[in-house]
Structure formats: structure tokens, C-alpha cells
Amino acid sequence: QVQLVESGGGLVKAGGSLRVSCEASGSIFSINVMGWYRQAPGKSRELVGTITSGGSRSYANSVKGRFTISRDNADNTVYLQMNSLNAGDTAVYYCNAVLKPSSNSGFRNYWGQGTQVTVSS
């Protein structure tokens, strides 16, 4: 079994910073891409950013220059540093990993349970 567990969400004032973390654990052979998505009330889930095992990053235009995604491959952990937060960043943030549970399996998609980030004005 594979688990993705997020931590670090909370309430922050506009203009502030917050870092969320996600650790993947369980039966893991290799992880390809890890990333963060978010879902605001009444809206669809949207991509925030991704990072490959080699360190290549991509971001949604709405967070470029403010958010930074990083990864510790040894600990199967992905981080999202969020700076200059505004009310539009309020959402549940979900961790995602595309990984192989075993050497003879294909890549599969896994999700964390989500962590709430609320930005107050």
C-alpha cells in the first residue's frame, strides 16, 4: 500500500508565506513525478506545480514567481514553498505522485488526502 500524507497547511495573512510538505510511504519502487494540485470551493481541481525525479519543475502561471516546488528523493518527500500569498490561493492543496509500487508494475497515480490553506485579507 502507498500513502501520501500532507502537512503544513493552515491560516496565513495575505502577503505571508507557508510551506506544505508531502511524504510518500509504503510499497514504493520508484517515483517519477511528484506535484501539487489545489481545489478552491466551487471550483475544479487545478495544477499548481510538478517536479520530476531529475528536478525539472513546472508551474501554473498563477503561481509562477511566488511558489517553489522542491523534492527530497531520498525521503520521497515533496515540498511547496508559497510566498506572497493572496486570497485567491485559498484552497485545499493535494499532493500527487506518479510511481511504481514494485519493479514489475506500471506507473500509477496516487493522491494525498489534502491540506487546507486559508489566506485572510
Side-chain angles (χ1 to χ4, degrees):
Q1 286 227 344
V2 175
Q3 283 190 316
L4 273 61
V5 179
E6 298 106 334
S7 60
L11 175 65
V12 63
K13 291 184 178 180
S17 298
L18 202 62
R19 189 175 87 152
V20 291
S21 305
C22 170
E23 180 180 6
S25 63
S27 175
I28 298 172
F29 177 73
S30 67
I31 302 178
N32 185 4
V33 180
M34 299 187 82
W36 290 94
Y37 291 71
R38 67 186 182 185
Q39 187 167 17
K43 295 188 176 181
S44 301
R45 189 173 298 188
E46 64 175 7
L47 172 70
V48 176
T50 61
I51 183 167
T52 68
S53 57
S56 296
R57 298 170 173 86
S58 66
Y59 298 97
N61 287 333
S62 59
V63 306
K64 278 182 183 176
R66 300 188 299 122
F67 290 12
T68 301
I69 191 169
S70 60
R71 176 172 170 172
D72 184 334
N73 289 329
D75 290 338
N76 293 333
T77 301
V78 63
Y79 305 93
L80 183 68
Q81 176 67 44
M82 301 179 285
N83 299 328
S84 301
L85 285 159
N86 58 60
D89 297 315
T90 294
V92 177
Y93 284 70
Y94 294 93
C95 174
N96 174 264
V98 179
L99 61 87
K100 281 189 175 186
S102 64
S103 60
N104 59 359
S105 71
F107 282 102
R108 299 175 188 175
N109 204 26
Y110 293 86
W111 293 92
Q113 81 285 354
T115 185
Q116 177 70 46
V117 172
T118 303
V119 184
S120 64
S121 56

